[in-house]
Amino acid sequence: MKAIRIDRLGGPEVLTVADVPTPSPGTGEVLVRQSAAGVNFIDVYQRTGLYKRDLPFIVGSEGAGTVETVGDGVTEFKPGDRVAYPTSPNLGGYAELNALPARVLVSIPDGVDDRTACAIMLQGMTAHYLVTDTFPLRAGHVALVHAAAGGVGSTLVQLAKARGATVIATAGTKEKVELAKSYGADHVINYADGDFAEAVRGLIGEHAVDVAYDSVGKETWERSLSLLRPRGLLALFGNSSGPVPAIEPARLASGGSLFLTRPTLVNYIATRDDLLGRARDLFAAIAAGKLHVSIGATYPLAEAPQAHRDLEARKTTGKLLLIP
């Protein structure tokens, strides 16, 4: 089968098409013929070595498709079932087929196509745990959402509004500002026009943000922290601009007993019930027309390097998918 294999760390050029053996599902595993694979910043972090993986490896942690065969002990799925997954323990998502543990798969309901299901997996579940568990939003809360036109950000804005929060969003171009508005953000700040923190203070005053959801990292975290109310929370769930440096705990005390967390999806879908519950909520919202899933671009598998270039250049909106 065809797959995108990484033999050395580096830029997008290290994403190369390779002929590799078709995997066989082991005990408790399912072989999925993939109709879509998600492109995420975690893939970039693994490609560059920020997140360590043993070389060589087939990149990609998210996908959707149809069950080909099942291994011993699998009773929940059968050949022909449509399935999706937000994480893959052994990666392998950028490929025509992937063998995965049955425990990471969810069934795709009728009325939801494979590409939409793939697009809502990693990023949608990330947005879901951020508003339901990391900081359970409710009416009256003020949430700051960075990169609000992106895959996580666009879903995060919608889910935050559904829970009654006031959402202040940031985006980097006029087009992205309009997209963030279309998702329901109460205020959208174009950070290319100036300091987003000053703009937030102009809207709601000093230290009035309950929670800041920050996937940008190095360029934004200090200002995000400065906007929080006493006992507010900064959720750093990504670092698209680079990793955040070490932080002295005393800084949180001086800011008003602030909370800082670096959550990751794997801990919020650690049980089968967690995984299925988040998938159920997201699919139900899509079916009810309450959640719009934006697929910004699709690429043939061989164009994975271009997908990474576009993602890193912040040229994209919504979800990026590879089509094997």
Side-chain angles (χ1 to χ4, degrees), residues 294-316:
S294 173
I295 298 175
T298 60
Y299 305 77
L301 188 65
E303 292 182 15
Q306 189 59 49
H308 276 225
R309 292 187 190 99
D310 292 346
L311 183 65
E312 290 181 275
R314 303 190 199 179
K315 293 180 178 179
T316 62

Side-chain angles (χ1 to χ4, degrees), residues 25-321:
T27 301
E29 291 187 333
V30 173
L31 182 65
V32 178
R33 179 168 295 278
Q34 305 210 127
S35 52
V39 179
N40 299 287
F41 262 104
I42 191 173
D43 308 337
V44 174
Y45 305 152
Q46 290 164 349
R47 190 201 76 216
T48 60
L50 181 62
Y51 291 178
K52 304 299 183 185
R53 302 292 303 198
D54 292 334
L55 293 170
F57 64 91
I58 298 170
V59 70
S61 57
E62 172 189 47
T66 303
V67 174
E68 283 270 299
T69 57
V70 300
D72 291 342
V74 175
T75 58
E76 189 175 352
F77 302 102
K78 64 183 186 305
D81 286 349
R82 293 191 307 128
V83 294
Y85 59 93
T87 60
S88 175
N90 298 314
L91 304 187
Y94 290 16
E96 292 176 324
L97 296 111
N98 195 8
L100 306 116
R103 60 180 168 78
V104 306
L105 297 174
V106 300
S107 295
I108 302 174
D110 293 341
V112 177
D113 63 84
D114 287 10
R115 294 186 183 188
T116 298
C118 182
I120 206 63
M121 284 288 103
L122 190 151
Q123 293 177 339
M125 289 194 185
T126 296
H128 187 276
Y129 80 67
L130 287 170
V131 304
T132 61
D133 293 89
T134 301
F135 188 96
L137 283 175
R138 54 175 171 75
H141 281 146
V142 176
L144 174 65
V145 178
H146 287 299
V152 177
S154 59
T155 305
L156 192 48
V157 169
Q158 295 177 76
L159 296 182
K161 287 305 302 174
R163 296 178 72 85
T166 296
V167 175
I168 302 174
T170 70
T173 67
K174 291 181 179 179
E175 176 197 17
K176 291 182 178 181
V177 165
E178 292 306 311
L179 278 172
K181 289 179 181 177
S182 74
Y183 298 132
D186 297 280
H187 309 281
V188 186
I189 297 165
N190 187 339
Y191 57 74
D193 291 341
D195 185 355
F196 75 83
E198 287 302 317
V200 171
R201 292 187 184 101
L203 288 169
I204 60 172
E206 290 277 1
H207 310 303
V209 172
D210 293 286
V211 58
Y213 297 114
D214 193 330
S215 63
V216 180
K218 183 179 179 181
E219 292 180 2
T220 54
W221 76 273
E222 287 188 277
R223 287 174 289 168
S224 295
L225 198 69
S226 75
L227 294 168
L228 296 176
R229 63 155 169 83
R231 297 191 300 176
L233 182 140
L234 172 58
L236 285 167
F237 65 97
N239 34 242
S240 62
S241 68
V244 171
I247 300 170
E248 288 291 338
R251 186 163 189 172
L252 303 177
S254 65
S257 300
L258 302 177
F259 293 87
L260 169 66
T261 184
R262 180 56 175 91
T264 185
L265 177 60
V266 66
N267 299 124
Y268 287 86
I269 53 171
T271 70
R272 186 78 177 144
D273 285 345
D274 284 339
L275 174 66
L276 295 180
R278 296 194 195 286
R280 183 172 57 249
D281 286 355
L282 291 167
F283 286 142
I286 293 168
K290 296 179 179 180
L291 178 61
H292 172 71
V293 181
S294 173
I295 298 175
T298 60
Y299 305 77
L301 188 65
E303 292 182 15
Q306 189 59 49
H308 276 225
R309 292 187 190 99
D310 292 346
L311 183 65
E312 290 181 275
R314 303 190 199 179
K315 293 180 178 179
T316 62
T317 60
K319 182 70 179 184
L320 305 188
L321 297 178

